């Protein structure tokens, strides 16, 4: 069965400093429990804010390292999941359900990509 990486992109400017509301956290927890019991979830986690990010860049035969925050970033990856689904449609359905757990003032995008095996 194919595996999918879902990257959750957030606009840090519209997400509350305190993180998700307790109600949102409860909705997320219920969905994560459901997807885990369904045998679909392989791994998931949230990520630290972009201010704590370090970018390692390769250009012209040189490596450069830059610490965040990065002012040009409109959206950042705020979390991820790795799922094993029967097809991409199922992976998209789970991602859509995850986005619906968010409170209305959040701006969130899920990027679903199949993991190339081998």
């Amino acid at each position: 069965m194919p595996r999918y990486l879902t990257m959750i992109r957030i606009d840090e400017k519209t997400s509350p400093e305190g993180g998700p509301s307790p109600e949102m956290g409860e909705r997320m927890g219920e969905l994560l429990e459901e997807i885990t019991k369904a045998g679909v979830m392989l791994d998931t986690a949230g990520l630290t804010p972009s201010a704590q990010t370090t970018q390692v860049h390769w250009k012209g035969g040189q490596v450069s390292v830059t610490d965040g925050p990065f002012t040009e970033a409109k959206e950042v990856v705020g979390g991820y999941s790795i799922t094993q689904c029967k097809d991409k449609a199922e992976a998209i359905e789970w991602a859509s359900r995850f986005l619906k757990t968010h409170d209305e003032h959040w701006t969130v995008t899920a990027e679903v990509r199949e993991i190339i095996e081998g």
Side-chain angles (χ1 to χ4, degrees), residues 6-113:
T6 301
M7 292 176 283
I8 303 301
R9 298 186 180 279
I10 63 170
D11 180 344
E12 288 183 317
K13 294 177 182 125
T14 64
S15 57
E17 283 193 32
S21 67
E23 297 81 14
M24 183 176 147
E26 189 174 310
R27 291 189 301 269
M28 281 184 181
E30 289 170 359
L31 181 63
L32 291 175
E33 184 176 330
E34 180 183 348
I35 192 172
T36 301
K37 284 183 179 177
V40 172
M41 183 64 71
L42 300 177
D43 189 25
T44 188
L47 302 173
T48 57
S50 65
Q52 298 172 26
T53 299
T54 299
Q55 290 183 350
V56 182
H57 188 73
W58 173 257
K59 181 178 180 181
Q62 299 288 320
V63 171
S64 63
V65 178
T66 309
D67 290 328
F70 304 100
T71 57
E72 71 277 1
K74 280 184 127 180
E75 287 186 329
V76 299
V77 178
Y80 73 93
S81 68
I82 298 176
T83 55
Q84 190 165 27
C85 302
K86 64 182 179 200
D87 55 27
K88 191 172 186 178
E90 181 184 13
I92 291 170
E93 176 61 29
W94 284 113
S96 298
R97 289 185 60 193
F98 179 77
L99 293 184
K100 290 176 184 178
T101 67
H102 288 74
D103 296 324
E104 289 183 14
H105 60 272
W106 285 73
T107 301
V108 187
T109 301
E111 180 178 332
V112 178
R113 298 176 71 174

